């Protein structure tokens, strides 16, 4: 594996090792139906879906962590020409709510709302313009899940999925919008089952980007073979799949950005989630891609605090 030289990367590597050893099937109670997640918010996918997807990102204790500092590139995959896509406004919220707690925050309809474990969303916040993806994508992509997404992100997503399929890939859409209440249910489940690791297993309600309605979790049919578990849906090794590699290289052309890169744990507060992409518009996504930074890093560096951070 590549040894990261930067201190931040050392920290990220440490965190991944923590995940690997604390989550990776070590729990004697771990079964496929109670599978484990390092994705700090993915566990909510369990509740709204017609069948509970297995969620597991932990690695076996005897397995070295992935070379996450140097994910493979898709040099052997076809590339696509950039297509004209809707570009989102990069104008930040004009009236930051500086005098309210972040947990009471109801953002506008912009695409760049910061959401971290200290910048939350009100339980009353539901994005406008949610639409069901079943009317836009075939069942072999949605797997029959009733996934919703904000309208602004639907056309770019459909275009990206279509181009992935044309390149011979088989992307899956595993999760999209999740309400505050859906996240609360998932969070409670993990608190009851594994209280010591609930903070790793799921984000508290109000602190998930999925509540914004502009986030998609992608899956790959290759993941099961790579991980060696037939019903796996989420795993950090998604970055090794053809779909994961393509997304890493091309998603920005459609306006999507990887929210939680491996090396950005300190900034985002979330563990590496190679499947979690957020729509921010082509201009911003391309800027982030070229600068090699996460959206959260950009937000915290360029925008004033929009609210009073809640206590962690
Ligand atoms: Zn996600």
């Amino acid at each position: 594996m590549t040894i990261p030289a930067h201190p931040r990367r050392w920290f990220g590597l440490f965190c991944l090792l923590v995940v690997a050893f604390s989550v990776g099937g070590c729990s004697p109670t771990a079964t496929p139906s109670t599978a484990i997640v390092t994705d700090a918010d993915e566990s909510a996918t369990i509740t709204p879906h017609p069948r509970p997807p297995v969620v597991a990102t932990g690695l076996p204790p005897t397995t070295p962590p992935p070379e996450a500092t140097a994910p493979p590139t898709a040099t052997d995959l076809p590339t696509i020409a950039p297509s004209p896509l809707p570009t989102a406004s990069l104008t930040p919220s004009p009236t930051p709510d500086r005098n309210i707690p972040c947990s009471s925050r109801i953002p506008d309809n912009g695409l760049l709302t910061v959401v971290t474990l200290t910048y939350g969303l009100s339980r009353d916040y539901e994005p406008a313009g949610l639409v069901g993806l079943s009317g836009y994508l075939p069942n072999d992509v949605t797997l029959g899940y009733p996934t919703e997404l904000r309208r602004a992100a639907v056309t770019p997503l459909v275009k990206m999925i279509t181009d992935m399929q044309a390149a011979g890939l088989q992307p899956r859409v595993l999760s999209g919008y999740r309400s505050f209440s859906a996240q609360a249910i998932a969070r409670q489940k993990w608190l009851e089952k594994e209280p010591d690791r609930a903070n790793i297993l799921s984000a508290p309600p109000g602190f998930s980007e999925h509540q914004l309605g502009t986030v998609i979790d992608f899956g790959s049919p290759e993941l099961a073979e790579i991980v060696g578990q037939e019903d796996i849906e989420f795993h950090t090794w998604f970055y090794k799949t053809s779909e994961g590699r393509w997304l890493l290289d091309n998603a920005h052309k459609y306006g999507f950005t990887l929210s939680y890169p491996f090396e950005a744990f300190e900034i985002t507060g979330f563990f590496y989630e190679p499947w979690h992409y957020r729509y921010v518009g082509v201009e911003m996504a391309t800027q982030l891609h070229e600068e090699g930074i996460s959206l959260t890093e950009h937000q915290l560096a360029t925008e004033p605090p929009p609210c009073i951070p809640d206590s962690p």
Side-chain angles (χ1 to χ4, degrees):
M1 62 185 291
T2 302
I3 302 300
H6 192 281
R8 179 183 298 167
R9 294 191 173 184
W10 274 114
F11 185 81
L13 177 61
F14 168 77
C15 294
L16 189 64
L17 288 170
V18 169
V19 172
F21 286 87
S22 65
V23 178
C26 301
S27 168
T29 61
T31 66
S33 64
T34 59
I36 301 155
V37 59
T38 59
D39 179 352
D41 55 358
E42 305 315 328
S43 57
T45 58
I46 291 172
T47 302
H49 291 161
R51 64 180 174 82
V54 171
V55 180
T57 58
L59 309 177
T62 55
T63 303
E67 296 174 348
T69 56
T73 58
T75 53
D76 56 336
L77 295 174
T79 57
I80 59 161
S83 304
L85 293 169
T87 301
S89 167
L90 301 184
T91 305
S93 176
T95 55
D97 300 319
R98 294 173 182 274
N99 298 319
I100 63 168
C102 290
S103 58
S104 299
R105 188 165 53 125
I106 297 182
D108 62 18
N109 284 327
L111 294 173
L112 301 181
T113 298
V114 58
V115 177
T116 70
L117 291 176
T118 53
Y119 288 81
L121 297 167
S122 166
R123 64 171 59 243
D124 296 324
Y125 174 65
E126 179 178 317
L130 289 171
V131 296
L133 291 180
S134 60
Y136 297 87
L137 294 169
N139 264 12
D140 63 345
V141 173
T142 65
L143 305 182
Y145 294 162
T147 304
E148 291 183 304
L149 200 65
R150 274 180 59 183
R151 187 174 303 279
V154 172
T155 298
L157 174 68
V158 171
K159 174 63 175 167
M160 186 165 72
I161 294 288
T162 301
D163 287 350
M164 292 179 78
Q165 291 174 325
L169 304 176
Q170 297 179 283
R172 307 282 193 250
V173 169
L174 301 179
S175 186
Y177 167 66
R178 293 205 289 266
S179 68
F180 185 98
S181 58
Q183 191 74 23
I185 292 170
R187 173 72 169 181
Q188 185 59 35
K189 170 189 169 185
W190 288 113
L191 284 170
E192 293 171 0
K193 286 191 173 182
E194 303 194 49
D196 293 341
R197 294 188 298 124
N199 285 332
I200 292 177
L201 301 174
S202 69
F207 298 92
S208 168
E209 277 192 333
H210 282 275
Q211 193 180 341
L212 295 170
T214 50
V215 167
I216 287 289
D217 292 331
F218 292 96
S220 165
E222 296 178 2
L223 192 60
E225 184 174 352
I226 292 174
V227 177
Q229 184 176 331
E230 184 178 351
D231 50 0
I232 194 83
E233 286 195 316
F234 293 101
H235 192 286
T236 50
W237 284 354
F238 177 73
Y239 83 88
K240 295 183 175 183
T241 68
S242 298
E243 288 75 18
R245 290 153 54 199
W246 190 97
L247 286 166
L248 196 61
D249 288 343
N250 297 286
H252 66 281
K253 301 172 186 174
Y254 302 83
F256 289 87
T257 187
L258 182 68
S259 291
Y260 308 124
F262 174 79
E263 65 275 10
F265 171 80
E266 279 180 293
I267 297 168
T268 69
F270 288 88
F271 290 102
Y272 182 37
E273 298 182 11
W275 55 83
H276 176 114
Y277 281 82
R278 174 172 168 179
Y279 181 71
V280 294
V282 172
E283 186 177 349
M284 175 55 71
T286 300
Q287 178 181 332
L288 296 172
H289 183 82
E290 291 175 350
E291 293 180 359
I293 64 172
S294 68
L295 174 65
T296 304
E297 184 172 4
H298 172 83
Q299 290 166 323
L300 297 182
T302 59
E303 297 179 22
C307 52
I308 303 171
D310 301 88
S311 298

